[in-house]
Amino acid sequence: MAHLLLRSRIAAVLPLYLAAAISGCGDSNVGKAESVAALAGAAGGPGYFDGTGTLVRFSSPSGVAVIGTDLFVADTANHVIRKIDTNTGSVTTFAGTFGVADNTDGTGAAARFNSPTGITAVGTLLFVCDTGNHTIRKIVSTSGLVTTLAGSAGNAGSADNVTGANARFNGPRGIAGDGATLYVADTGNHKIRAVTFSGSTSTFAGSGASGSGNGLGTAAEFSSPEGVTVLAGGTTTIYVADTGNHTIRQIDPVGAVGNVTTLAGLAGTSGSTDNTGANARFSSPSGIANDGATIFVGDTGNHTIRSVTQSGVVTTPAGLAGTPGSADGTGSVARFNSPKGIGMLAGSGFLFVADRDNHAIRRITAVALAGAVTTVAGNPPQAGTADATGTTARFRAPAGAAVVSDNVFVADTGNHTIRKVTSTGAVTTPAGSPGSSGLVDGTGSAARFSSPQGIAAVDSDLYVADSGNNAIRKVTAAGVVTTFAGSTSGTAGFVNDTGTAARFNTPRGITTDGSFLFVADTGNHAVRKINISTREVTTLAGTGSAGFADTAPAAFNGPEGVAVIGSNLYVADTGNHAIRKLANFNSLSPIVTTFAGAPPPTAASGFTDGSGTSARFSSPKGIAAVGSVLYLADTGNHAARRITTAATVTTFAGDPASATNRDGDASQALLNAPAGITGITGTIFFTDLNENVVRKILF
């Protein structure tokens, strides 16, 4: 099962890794990791961990509901429902299993969800928009029993029906109830649906076509609405965060349907202006809640929380428009990053926010005024570009790693730079300019890269798989950057030739034996070879199309890591969840076999130590050789694995059931999407992609 935590903004970054080729005869190490320690960077980001304090992780939480002193969170990318005890701060998994997207009714961990987003509480019942399953789920909060109320898993549609299983939804994202009826923001259908507690479903408002028109029932139009809240009093009023229109809509029930008007914002015009009615502006608002009098909006594109009165007066009690961040504080001092679902227990005075891209749950007090914001659970990412020492340094999705003397060089993918980390954790930037992508040869900060990923060292020179530029770059010890192979204009292709006449497609992995460079040409699903002295590029294996075959022509699926032991090349075949071996890479036609992991023709992910094809991996990225032993960044399993030349696979550090950053003894240490990996005898260095840190394992 894949536990890989992907943020959409870095999905293309999951890289590779290798480093200096280390020669050796035989397996001289004992095969046991002693401890894991931080080297540089500050931990925080998406992941998964139950408990308290800074180790707790969420992944793109999108909804929050309140029952008493407990918060229930739709932890979207983890496919689970989490529970937070606000008295103790303890976080537990209430329903679902981490990283397993499926559809199963059951109790607690036996249940399965697929990207749940919206969640609401009605009494002691929870109702969930199980977005990836196109269903509405019901959870009994006292027992954790999960059942499907309406919709059919995997079957998107828009059908109304008195029988829940016969109703159809299309990616529903918002839900709220008034004690008798649930109102669902059926996002993909551009509708608001009404669902009874027995599952009977009808269209309350919306034509099904994207638009902004006001009107009664199906005469009205919405554009990808994501949030809904019910304000109950003398009369019931429904408010909708009409995300695609950048507006807040009001629906007044008229019999079995609703009359739709626009309360605030101007359809099709985004902005952040505080004002009244059509003079106010929002940017992709998605979360919405109320305290019985005032409506509160998670204004996602503005990274703020907005307040809307029933007469349409809009203010901003927390956050600063256009300025994402994770700072606690009061009013405009506080920072959010794409806040989504929000929940409020009427009369509590507290608003709880699923701060999606901070992967955290935030609390706002006195929200109707200038709200004081604190972080309830989760640890926001500490990504950045700072050159400094230890935890004061900052990286952004670092990918590849290579050792040169006492230093580790890192391909800092999200910053488009090459970083240097000394043995004391001091970080500098010898090549590239932080945040500036491009394809420019030059020296130091004058050079430009685009999402560099793999990195390898030959003596004092570095060779970089400059993934976004479809090229292989060379960086000298003086910081002089040149394009060694591949297009000088960033053009992708699959061409064997010399130097800049050759073509690559999103290369992510690179290693060397000192005479040749070996490239995991990810987009071409191939393994390439470059003669360092002549710059001649040839193809060792792979057809240019994704596949899984050992017999000629051998096929790969998005390989991202390569390592050399003797005359054999080992490939982390990421999409096939396997380690492949190219025997005698100096021959014209190396023999390709599946060295470890499930064999062709069917790829199978999992987590199993064992021998050869009995072992299982999940989206392995980086691979490195230290002597005659391979070390693998098993990214989707949040683990470092050790593989002998006899294909015996063991877990070196990490646990697939947890994704967070914990140092200490190897048996207790935890990793979070390790990617780049390299090493020398006694020490393995790796990058934790989700945590934006460089760490080391001593053995």
Side-chain angles (χ1 to χ4, degrees):
M1 66 186 79
H3 297 299
L4 182 59
L5 302 175
L6 297 181
R7 288 178 284 182
S8 59
R9 67 179 183 276
I10 61 168
V13 169
L14 292 177
L16 157 33
Y17 339 77
L18 187 122
I22 309 294
S23 62
C25 298
D27 178 9
S28 60
N29 83 59
V30 296
K32 298 289 186 181
E34 292 183 357
S35 63
V36 178
L39 185 59
Y48 175 82
F49 193 75
D50 285 339
T52 59
T54 58
L55 285 177
V56 170
R57 296 289 186 274
F58 297 85
S59 187
S60 301
S62 299
V64 59
V66 185
I67 298 178
T69 59
D70 293 326
L71 305 181
F72 295 88
V73 178
D75 194 4
T76 307
N78 282 327
H79 311 293
V80 293
I81 306 300
R82 313 284 287 280
K83 178 181 176 181
I84 306 173
D85 183 333
T86 59
N87 289 324
T88 65
S90 176
V91 178
T92 55
T93 299
F94 186 66
T97 296
F98 162 52
V100 183
D102 206 336
N103 175 71
T104 306
D105 289 342
T107 300
R112 296 289 184 271
F113 300 87
N114 188 350
S115 302
T117 52
I119 185 170
T120 193
V122 180
T124 59
L125 296 176
L126 295 164
F127 296 93
V128 178
C129 287
D130 196 5
T131 307
N133 280 322
H134 311 290
T135 57
I136 307 302
R137 313 291 290 280
K138 181 176 78 173
I139 310 176
V140 180
S141 68
T142 54
S143 66
L145 175 64
V146 180
T147 54
T148 300
L149 179 66
S152 176
N155 294 307
S158 61
D160 292 327
N161 204 290
V162 296
T163 302
N166 292 329
R168 295 291 182 269
F169 300 86
N170 188 357
R173 291 180 177 269
I175 189 167
D178 64 1
T181 304
L182 299 167
Y183 298 93
V184 176
D186 193 6
T187 309
N189 282 322
H190 312 289
K191 292 180 177 182
I192 305 301
R193 313 286 290 281
V195 182
T196 70
F197 285 11
S198 65
S200 177
T201 301
S202 60
T203 297
F204 187 63
S207 67
S210 179
S212 61
N214 292 322
L216 182 66
T218 57
E221 296 171 319
F222 298 88
S223 179
S224 302
E226 291 194 23
V228 59
T229 188
V230 176
L231 196 156
T235 59
T236 295
T237 306
I238 296 93
Y239 295 94
V240 176
D242 195 5
T243 309
N245 280 322
H246 311 292
T247 56
I248 306 303
R249 313 290 290 279
Q250 177 176 324
I251 310 178
D252 297 297
V254 179
V257 297
N259 185 49
V260 180
T261 56
T262 301
L263 177 66
L266 182 65
T269 304
S270 64
S272 60
T273 306
D274 285 342
N275 211 310
T276 301
N279 292 320
R281 296 290 182 271
F282 299 87
S283 179
S284 301
S286 59
I288 191 166
N290 74 85
D291 66 357
T294 303
I295 300 102
F296 300 100
V297 177
D299 196 6
T300 308
N302 280 322
H303 312 289
T304 56
I305 304 302
R306 313 291 290 280
S307 171
V308 187
T309 70
Q310 293 178 59
S311 60
V313 178
V314 179
T315 56
T316 305
L320 184 64
T323 308
S326 61
D328 288 342
T330 299
S332 61
V333 173
R335 296 289 183 272
F336 300 88
N337 195 349
S338 300
K340 294 285 285 186
I342 56 180
M344 189 167 206
L345 183 63
S348 70
F350 294 149
L351 185 71
F352 296 95
V353 180
D355 196 3
R356 185 190 64 187
D357 289 349
N358 276 325
H359 312 285
I361 306 303
R362 318 288 292 281
R363 183 178 73 176
I364 311 175
T365 60
V367 69
L369 302 172
V373 179
T374 55
T375 300
V376 175
N379 194 5
Q382 302 297 310
T385 62
D387 284 345
T389 299
T391 57
T392 57
R394 294 290 183 271
F395 300 86
R396 191 177 302 277
V403 175
V404 178
S405 187
D406 292 332
N407 303 310
V408 179
F409 287 86
V410 174
D412 194 4
T413 307
N415 281 322
H416 312 292
T417 55
I418 305 302
R419 313 290 290 281
K420 175 183 175 182
V421 187
T422 70
S423 59
T424 62
V427 179
T428 54
T429 305
S433 179
S436 298
S437 65
L439 179 50
V440 179
D441 290 341
T443 301
S445 61
R448 294 291 183 273
F449 300 86
S450 179
S451 300
Q453 299 195 26
I455 185 169
V458 179
D459 298 323
S460 61
D461 293 329
L462 299 172
Y463 293 88
V464 178
D466 194 5
S467 183
N469 283 322
N470 304 301
I472 306 302
R473 314 289 293 283
K474 178 180 178 180
V475 185
T476 70
V480 178
V481 179
T482 54
T483 301
F484 188 73
S487 172
T488 56
S489 61
T491 303
F494 193 15
V495 178
N496 291 327
D497 212 316
T498 300
T500 57
R503 293 293 180 267
F504 300 86
N505 187 352
T506 322
R508 293 183 177 173
I510 190 168
T511 190
T512 184
D513 67 349
S515 299
F516 297 93
L517 298 172
F518 303 93
V519 178
D521 194 6
T522 309
N524 282 322
H525 310 286
V527 180
R528 315 289 290 281
K529 177 180 175 181
I530 309 175
N531 186 312
I532 294 175
S533 62
T534 66
R535 298 166 63 196
E536 180 186 8
V537 178
T538 55
T539 299
L540 287 176
T543 64
S545 298
F548 193 15
D550 286 340
T551 55
F556 300 82
N557 187 359
E560 296 195 22
V562 280
V564 172
I565 297 178
S567 61
N568 298 319
L569 188 68
Y570 298 85
V571 180
D573 192 5
T574 309
N576 284 323
H577 312 289
I579 307 305
R580 315 288 293 281
K581 178 181 177 181
L582 279 68
N584 189 13
F585 55 70
N586 288 316
S587 68
L588 293 177
S589 299
I591 298 173
V592 178
T593 57
T594 297
F595 184 65
T602 304
S605 66
F607 182 74
T608 306
D609 287 340
S611 179
T613 56
S614 68
R616 293 293 182 270
F617 308 93
S618 179
S619 302
K621 303 292 178 181
I623 189 169
V626 178
S628 60
V629 176
L630 296 167
Y631 293 90
L632 180 72
D634 194 5
T635 312
N637 280 322
H638 311 287
R641 314 288 289 277
R642 181 182 186 273
I643 312 174
T644 70
T645 50
T648 300
V649 179
T650 54
T651 298
F652 203 55
D655 181 353
S658 298
T660 188
N661 184 292
R662 185 166 70 189
D663 293 331
D665 291 345
S667 61
Q668 299 297 314
L670 296 172
L671 319 183
N672 194 352
I677 192 166
T678 186
I680 56 177
T681 301
T683 308
I684 297 297
F685 301 95
F686 67 96
T687 61
D688 248 353
L689 185 67
N690 283 350
E691 299 280 342
N692 301 296
V693 296
V694 181
R695 303 170 73 189
K696 61 183 178 181
I697 306 173
L698 303 179
F699 66 97

